Amino acid sequence: MNIFTKLFYMFRRSWKALRLFLILSGPGLVVMIADNDAGGITTYAATGAKYGYNFIWFLIALVPVAYFVQEMTVRLGAVTKRGHAEAIFENFGAFWGWFSLIDLVFCDWLTLITEFIGMTAAMGIFGVPPWLTILGVIGIMGFMVLNGRYWTWEKITMGFCLLNLIYIPAAFWVRPDTSAVLAGVIPNLPGGKFDNQLFFFLMANIGTTIAPWMIFFQQSAVVDKGMTEKDIPFGKFDTLLGSILTVVVAAFIIIVVGTVLPGMEIDDAAQASKMLMGTHGYAGTFMAIGLFDAGLLGAICISLASSWALGEIFGWAHSLNNKIKEAPWFYAAYFLALVTAGGVVLIPGAPLVLITLFVQVVAVTLLPAALVFLILLLNDEKTMGAYKNTLFENIVNIGIVSVIVVLSSLYAASALFPSLFG
């Protein structure tokens, strides 16, 4: 066999593997990129304005955190063929099952409101009234789920994921100082001291990297997609790629805002977009478009996370491959969440800021429990067999959970006692 024949077979094998990956990819990329939702964009914009490029290294450090947590959902979904809500009910009983389900649905609904807040604010920059934005979003999302195929829904969602990369050209447009950006990759103490503000931003950035809905969503998506044990390596790579991309996008948002608006007080990403438009028109426009896309992606995933979980527990047909007549309750729960969340945003004087803050409190109560359940499920040898957690995976994941629990407790203490960290 000559070298050209060998190269041909290598190319054919590589092309076959790439085609298979493109078919199987989706849940990991979608869940990780959608994690940069409207609230996440605001967090990164505020971080860039406050600390410049000095948080980039911290975001990079969060890549393995996101990956190791989410790849467990790939293995669990592919092996058990069950969503996370169903797995908790069957393995830990009704009390913890109902606790997780009620907390998830309530937290998801509140988070969905924040996504609509971000989308209406973004479109408001272009003069679109909130009611029209909400109707348009519900129409888009309705079209996506009512086509009767998971594959079609996923590929449309992947298109919105691609649009989320719009922050990358925005960063090049503002021409940041390359040496200063590279310096931000080196671990440092942002602001030069550890105080309540720094602790708040550390917790906020962790909170935008891993959230309870992500665990429930990805496991249900793996099941709905029909992935099996042999697809796990592709699912893990899909998740790793998504983890990297979500941090890349976050870093570029920080670069944009840290370059143009250093030292500014940023309350939300829409405000940052308007301010950017005043000095760098295209960069501001890109940021506004990205904010709308981020809110849409978050809404797409969060609404489905709740509907899938409800379907699993109540025994409804709950696949995107089902027509509306085949799964009426699943789609009813989906649209009810969208209509009510969007309606709250339109209520004059609604406490939108309070809702946004309350989302974080509710999420903190669910995240540690969801992570502990996930690790316990992955250590059940009877269920997982050869795909149970290894010793290394347990050490890493238990370390992640321990750090999150400690930081969440300290964050709560700092909120109650503002002078705790000076």
Side-chain angles (χ1 to χ4, degrees), residues 16-181:
K16 183 179 179 181
L18 177 61
R19 286 171 57 196
L20 185 58
F21 170 71
L22 292 175
I23 292 171
L24 295 174
S25 65
L29 281 168
V30 169
V31 74
M32 295 310 308
I33 295 177
D35 187 38
N36 285 341
D37 61 357
I41 304 304
T42 291
T43 298
Y44 302 135
T47 301
K50 179 70 177 177
Y51 295 105
Y53 312 137
N54 292 318
F55 253 79
I56 294 177
W57 71 270
F58 184 71
L59 292 176
I60 294 173
L62 291 176
V63 170
V65 173
Y67 169 72
F68 276 105
V69 169
Q70 291 302 129
E71 73 84 22
M72 285 192 288
T73 67
V74 176
R75 285 184 282 140
L76 189 58
V79 171
T80 66
K81 312 299 186 294
R82 295 180 300 175
H84 198 63
E86 185 178 357
I88 291 176
F89 260 90
E90 292 188 8
N91 288 272
F92 302 105
F95 174 81
W96 288 111
W98 283 112
F99 167 79
S100 299
L101 180 66
I102 293 171
D103 207 350
L104 173 76
V105 172
F106 185 51
C107 184
D108 282 358
W109 184 71
L110 292 174
T111 307
L112 197 56
I113 294 173
T114 67
E115 307 300 353
F116 276 109
I117 293 171
M119 287 186 285
T120 53
M123 296 307 293
I125 295 173
F126 303 109
V128 180
W131 67 267
L132 185 57
T133 298
I134 290 171
L135 285 179
V137 167
I138 293 175
I140 292 171
M141 294 176 62
F143 169 78
M144 290 174 63
V145 299
L146 294 178
N147 66 77
R149 291 189 64 192
Y150 172 89
W151 187 91
T152 305
W153 170 88
E154 184 180 79
K155 298 314 170 189
I156 295 173
T157 306
M158 292 280 276
F160 289 120
C161 288
L162 186 63
L163 183 59
N164 195 252
L165 304 180
I166 196 170
Y167 296 103
I168 296 176
F172 286 103
W173 187 269
V174 300
R175 298 183 179 180
D177 183 343
T178 305
S179 60
V181 172

Side-chain angles (χ1 to χ4, degrees), residues 122 126 163 166-167 273 277 284-294:
F126 303 109
L163 183 59
I166 196 170
Y167 296 103
S273 300
M277 285 179 177
T285 301
F286 288 168
M287 189 144 188
I289 294 171
L291 174 60
F292 173 81
D293 180 66

Side-chain angles (χ1 to χ4, degrees), residues 164-421:
N164 195 252
L165 304 180
I166 196 170
Y167 296 103
I168 296 176
F172 286 103
W173 187 269
V174 300
R175 298 183 179 180
D177 183 343
T178 305
S179 60
V181 172
L182 292 176
V185 176
I186 301 171
N188 64 90
L189 185 63
K193 62 178 180 178
F194 190 84
D195 55 18
N196 273 343
Q197 276 199 327
L198 176 58
F199 189 57
F200 170 81
F201 277 95
L202 288 171
M203 287 301 299
N205 280 274
I206 292 173
T208 59
T209 303
I210 178 171
W213 67 263
M214 297 170 63
I215 297 171
F216 287 82
F217 171 85
Q218 188 169 3
Q219 187 170 333
S220 294
V222 165
V223 175
D224 210 353
K225 191 178 179 72
M227 295 176 67
T228 62
E229 290 91 334
K230 63 182 175 57
D231 303 322
I232 288 176
F234 290 97
K236 294 174 74 169
F237 181 73
D238 178 43
T239 303
L240 176 61
L241 183 59
S243 303
I244 294 171
L245 284 176
T246 192
V247 167
V248 167
V249 170
F252 274 96
I253 295 170
I254 285 179
I255 291 170
V256 171
V257 179
T259 301
V260 183
L261 305 173
M264 302 296 293
E265 291 293 332
I266 302 296
D267 296 322
D268 57 64
Q271 177 194 8
S273 300
K274 293 177 182 176
M275 295 169 73
L276 283 167
M277 285 179 177
T279 55
H280 297 74
Y282 284 112
T285 301
F286 288 168
M287 189 144 188
I289 294 171
L291 174 60
F292 173 81
D293 180 66
L296 181 59
L297 275 172
I300 288 169
C301 295
I302 290 166
S303 53
L304 270 178
S306 294
S307 299
W308 270 326
L310 289 168
E312 292 162 13
I313 300 310
F314 289 106
W316 307 332
H318 55 275
S319 171
L320 289 174
N321 294 312
N322 294 129
K323 299 290 187 182
I324 193 167
K325 291 182 179 179
E326 300 168 334
W329 291 109
F330 169 70
Y331 289 110
Y334 177 82
F335 282 105
L336 179 63
L338 290 180
V339 171
T340 54
V344 169
V345 178
L346 297 178
I347 297 174
L352 302 181
V353 175
L354 181 61
I355 290 171
T356 303
L357 293 174
F358 194 54
V359 166
Q360 306 303 321
V361 176
V362 178
V364 165
T365 65
L366 178 58
L367 183 56
L371 291 174
V372 170
F373 290 147
L374 188 61
I375 292 173
L376 291 175
L377 289 167
L378 267 292
N379 278 280
D380 184 352
E381 188 168 5
K382 182 180 178 181
T383 301
M384 298 302 299
Y387 296 98
K388 68 186 289 288
N389 271 1
T390 64
L391 177 61
F392 173 74
E393 288 168 338
N394 275 329
I395 291 172
V396 172
N397 286 306
I398 291 173
I400 290 170
V401 173
S402 300
V403 169
I404 289 176
V405 169
V406 170
L407 289 177
S408 298
S409 301
L410 289 174
Y411 179 59
S414 70
L416 293 173
F417 307 102
S419 61
L420 184 64
F421 296 111

